[in-house]
Amino acid sequence: MSEDDEQVVRQTLIGEHGVLVSAEGIAEEARGVPRVLVTMGSDSDLPLMMKAVNTLRYEFGIACLVQINSVHRDLRSVVAHIEDLPESVQVIIACAGGAAHLPGNIADLRADLPVIGVPRDLGALKGIDALLSMVQMPEGAPVAVMAIGEAGAVNAAIHAAKELAIGDPTIKIRLHAYAEKRKGRVESQNRTLANKLKTYGG
Ligand code: RP5
């Protein structure tokens, strides 16, 4: 895609379909076309969902759209947004806390796209309510539900990358690099283990 075409796509995306985010930056600074929609019920979910956005853009080079969609406050705009996503979006990550109906509603609206749910650890039930709301979907409208909280947000991005990697060898390479980095962490922990053990005495 030429720079001019990308500029047109970016202008169309900002506002109408959410905010484009890529490794290069946010909105006007972003580059590429979005492959994933990262959506959430409120901007209070944003600190959690930045774990997903940053994993997508920095670990896997995947541009995404970020958009607030509240099924409890403005259901009609959710339907309009989700039915009108750009063709380039192939996976949806949806986060909500409490009675978390957003991912399930999206799974019904979009028969053609996989939906990954991230339950937010929030309120009296600390995310158990959101987890059960997402995971207990009736037959026919599946939501791939991740762990509650930060691990779930990061895993949602990895899961989305794995889905996109089926048709994109570049993402496959980056998934392998990410796995190697995780292995390196165990190696380095073993290198410093003797000294750590000594701090426990003996
Ligand atoms: C949910 O209600 C949102 O996804 C959020 O997790 C929760 C609280 O929203 P705010 O009251 O902080 O806007 O729909």
Side-chain angles (χ1 to χ4, degrees):
M1 185 180 283
S2 75
E3 286 259 317
D4 283 353
D5 288 345
E6 272 199 25
Q7 185 63 24
V8 172
V9 170
R10 269 198 301 283
Q11 290 309 328
T12 318
L13 292 177
I14 294 162
E16 216 178 297
H17 296 287
V19 179
L20 184 63
V21 181
S22 75
E24 291 80 10
I26 294 169
E28 291 82 357
E29 287 79 42
R31 294 288 173 271
V33 292
R35 314 279 301 276
V36 177
L37 171 72
V38 178
T39 187
M40 62 211 86
S42 167
D43 68 0
S44 69
D45 302 325
L46 205 45
L48 172 62
M49 291 318 287
M50 284 313 291
K51 300 277 174 197
V53 171
N54 287 338
T55 303
L56 285 171
R57 62 175 171 159
Y58 296 133
E59 298 291 351
F60 306 121
I62 297 170
C64 60
L65 281 174
V66 180
Q67 189 173 45
I68 309 298
N69 277 303
S70 173
V71 294
H72 300 135
R73 291 174 179 147
D74 190 0
L75 181 58
R76 285 170 189 82
S77 79
V78 178
V79 175
H81 290 156
I82 299 301
E83 284 184 340
D84 188 36
L85 287 176
E87 282 285 312
S88 61
V89 169
Q90 291 171 296
V91 184
I92 298 174
I93 297 174
C95 168
H101 298 128
L102 179 63
N105 282 199
I106 293 175
D108 175 49
L109 286 168
R110 294 303 302 246
D112 56 337
L113 295 179
V115 179
I116 304 170
V118 180
R120 181 175 162 202
D121 42 346
L122 171 81
L125 301 184
K126 311 228 176 303
I128 297 290
D129 41 4
L131 173 71
L132 295 179
S133 305
M134 290 181 190
V135 84
Q136 283 301 105
M137 286 298 295
E139 182 183 312
V143 174
V145 184
M146 301 292 115
I148 298 168
E150 286 191 4
V154 173
N155 283 346
I158 298 168
H159 196 77
K162 286 183 173 183
E163 282 169 344
L164 294 172
I166 293 167
D168 188 332
T170 317
I171 298 176
K172 205 172 218 173
I173 291 167
R174 294 190 74 152
L175 279 162
H176 284 301
Y178 183 79
E180 285 306 311
K181 219 162 67 175
R182 294 183 75 241
K183 282 185 206 154
R185 194 167 147 197
V186 181
E187 269 169 37
S188 93
Q189 285 182 357
N190 273 320
R191 272 198 301 276
T192 56
L193 188 56
N195 284 338
K196 283 226 171 94
L197 284 168
K198 284 177 193 163
T199 65
Y200 289 94

